[in-house]
Amino acid sequence: MRLIGTWKLLMLAALAIAMTDGCKSKETQTAEGGKMAAKSDEKKMAQIQRTDWGKTKDGIPVELYTLTNKNGIVAKITNYGATLTELHVPDKDGKMGDVVLGFDNLAQYEKDSPFFGATAGRVANRIAKGQFTLNGVMYQLATNNGPNHLHGGIKGIDKAVWKAVTAPTKDGPAVQFTHTSPDKDEGYPGKLDITVTYTLTNDNEVKIEYKAKSDKATPVNLTNHSYWNLGTPAAGDILDHLMMINADRFTPVDTTLIPTGELLPVKGTPMDFTKPMAIGSRINEKPLPGGGYDHNYVLNGKAGELALAARVTDPKSKRTMEVWTTEPGVQFYTANFLDNVKGEDGVVYKKHWGFCLETQHFPDSVNHPSFPSTILEPGQTYSQVTVHKFYVSK
């Protein structure tokens, strides 16, 4: 009887140990499963990757930053010109595609770029004859666009190598670029310190924040000069894209694309995009140099407050982009001067292969007192925000 009792005790002890080990095994499995799930979640988390992207022809190292949000949207931005080089967003079938025109390498941006994705300035757009008078002094800038000054001159901030720091935020991955344009740079007065921050939000937005300060009074008008094609550049021209621009007026121009000073209604003209219209539906009704749109629209929103500027949809892919801005105007440009430019992946970009929506103050504002002022005084801070939001339309 004692032997049997002892045997039972041994059996019960072994069973208890097995049960304990089993529980530990389940706990270990749960913990390991948690680690695996955590690793899976990490893949979904926003990411920032920095890579070397070669050197300029002057030997300055350049970097490329790849931002990925929690939804898998990918933006690539280089510190050469604080330039957006790629943006991959999904179509109606979930297929990712790059919706900006760009190049495969730095050398092409240095040699061939018509401001693809660049931060343009000090003064984006045109200044008539490259001249303006400020505080009784007449300034002469380079005339690099026919008789006029365009996008900051021969070597504007789009051709500078900016300093960059990654700046993760609660909204998504971000990179902050800074650059100092010295006094008399391209003929402009004052030392201008510029900060441009790109954030790829988890709401599938590219948010661009601009700030600048100067030690002398100087004109400032910054913008991003991306060429968009929501079907991807390989799909061809953008003439079937449906465009809505939230503007009842525009600034008519002369033959050199300098505003006349008037603010005219768009209603009843080919300039009217207050309701969605195919970009190419009336593009030949108002002949322009280069054949197409290259006009500033006077936005209906209140300057300084973030408001909808435009909405564009590609009818095939159903990709839609909304542009929101604090700026008073947006330059709508249909890539009229693109002429067989070899871009990313060997795609040859042609006329109307992309469109630009450059949020900014009006062209030649420095010579039009009736336009919103572009003059930045010492002690003031230039500030503007533009947001590009992406989604798929039904």
Side-chain angles (χ1 to χ4, degrees):
M1 293 293 291
R2 286 181 183 174
L3 288 172
I4 294 173
T6 301
W7 176 250
K8 283 185 176 179
L9 288 171
L10 290 171
M11 290 291 290
L12 288 169
L15 182 61
I17 291 170
M19 289 177 67
T20 303
D21 287 345
C23 290
K24 286 182 179 177
S25 178
K26 286 182 180 178
E27 289 171 0
T28 303
Q29 289 173 9
T30 301
E32 289 178 353
K35 289 179 182 177
M36 291 175 67
K39 287 182 179 179
S40 177
D41 288 341
E42 283 176 7
K43 290 181 180 179
K44 296 178 182 178
M45 290 176 64
Q47 301 175 19
I48 306 174
Q49 182 181 10
R50 186 197 72 81
T51 55
D52 293 331
W53 210 47
K55 294 182 179 181
T56 67
K57 56 189 177 184
D58 296 326
I60 303 173
V62 172
E63 301 163 340
L64 185 70
Y65 292 83
T66 301
L67 281 56
T68 306
N69 74 0
K70 291 182 178 180
N71 306 314
I73 304 297
V74 176
K76 295 186 179 183
I77 311 159
T78 175
N79 64 328
Y80 179 77
T83 297
L84 177 66
T85 64
E86 298 180 33
L87 181 65
H88 297 260
V89 300
D91 66 6
K92 59 184 174 59
D93 299 317
K95 182 179 179 181
M96 302 295 283
D98 185 6
V99 295
V100 295
L101 276 61
F103 295 114
D104 290 318
N105 55 66
L106 172 62
Q108 287 179 288
Y109 278 95
E110 280 197 282
K111 181 182 177 182
D112 300 320
S113 184
F115 303 97
F116 282 161
T119 298
R122 289 184 184 191
V123 173
N125 219 309
R126 295 172 176 85
I127 295 177
K129 299 179 181 178
Q131 297 177 348
F132 65 92
T133 299
L134 180 59
N135 295 332
V137 179
M138 197 278 281
Y139 293 90
Q140 178 66 58
L141 311 175
T143 52
N144 59 322
N145 184 244
N148 304 318
H149 177 83
L150 178 68
H151 295 327
I154 296 169
K155 191 175 181 180
I157 60 174
D158 63 293
K159 297 175 182 65
V161 177
W162 297 50
K163 294 180 181 178
V165 293
T166 57
T169 72
K170 61 181 178 58
D171 298 322
V175 181
Q176 184 180 86
F177 299 95
T178 56
H179 174 64
T180 296
S181 174
D183 186 26
K184 297 184 175 60
D185 189 16
E186 289 293 306
Y188 288 98
K191 177 174 74 73
L192 187 71
D193 295 316
I194 312 167
T195 301
V196 177
T197 304
Y198 285 84
T199 304
L200 178 61
T201 78
N202 294 315
D203 291 326
N204 297 346
E205 301 165 333
V206 176
K207 181 180 181 182
I208 311 176
E209 300 169 274
Y210 306 78
K211 291 189 182 300
K213 290 186 177 182
S214 178
D215 61 359
K216 295 180 182 178
T218 192
V220 180
N221 189 28
L222 307 177
T223 194
N224 175 270
H225 205 297
S226 287
Y227 288 63
W228 305 96
N229 187 323
L230 301 181
T232 76
D237 66 52
I238 46 76
L239 297 179
D240 63 346
H241 281 41
L242 298 175
M243 174 70 70
M244 187 284 295
I245 301 177
N246 185 23
D248 295 325
R249 296 175 297 168
F250 74 105
T251 53
V253 293
D254 64 19
T255 56
T256 69
L257 301 176
I258 293 294
T260 63
E262 303 169 278
L263 304 182
L264 296 185
V266 299
K267 189 174 181 180
T269 77
M271 306 301 297
D272 190 354
F273 287 94
T274 51
K275 294 181 180 179
M277 295 286 292
I279 290 174
S281 61
R282 300 159 299 171
I283 200 166
N284 295 316
E285 290 185 24
K286 191 176 180 68
L288 294 168
Y293 294 96
D294 197 358
H295 285 81
N296 170 68
Y297 282 76
V298 181
L299 294 173
N300 292 335
K302 184 177 180 181
E305 295 181 4
L306 194 65
L308 180 66
R311 183 185 299 112
V312 197
T313 299
D314 170 34
K316 296 185 182 73
S317 70
K318 298 297 182 182
R319 291 188 184 94
T320 297
M321 178 178 73
E322 289 184 354
V323 179
W324 294 68
T325 189
T326 56
E327 288 294 273
V330 62
Q331 185 84 7
F332 175 40
Y333 173 55
T334 50
N336 309 326
F337 302 106
L338 271 188
D339 184 20
N340 293 323
V341 176
K342 188 176 181 180
E344 285 180 0
D345 300 322
V347 176
V348 177
Y349 305 145
K350 302 177 183 179
K351 184 176 179 178
H352 306 321
W353 230 247
F355 66 90
C356 301
L357 289 168
E358 305 156 56
T359 56
Q360 56 191 266
H361 276 54
F362 306 167
D364 199 34
S365 286
V366 71
N367 291 312
H368 293 273
S370 62
F371 286 0
S373 177
T374 55
I375 301 303
L376 177 65
E377 298 285 350
Q380 295 180 337
T381 299
Y382 170 94
S383 181
Q384 72 121 314
V385 178
T386 293
V387 177
H388 300 82
K389 183 175 180 63
F390 297 87
Y391 56 90
V392 173
S393 295
K394 295 181 179 179

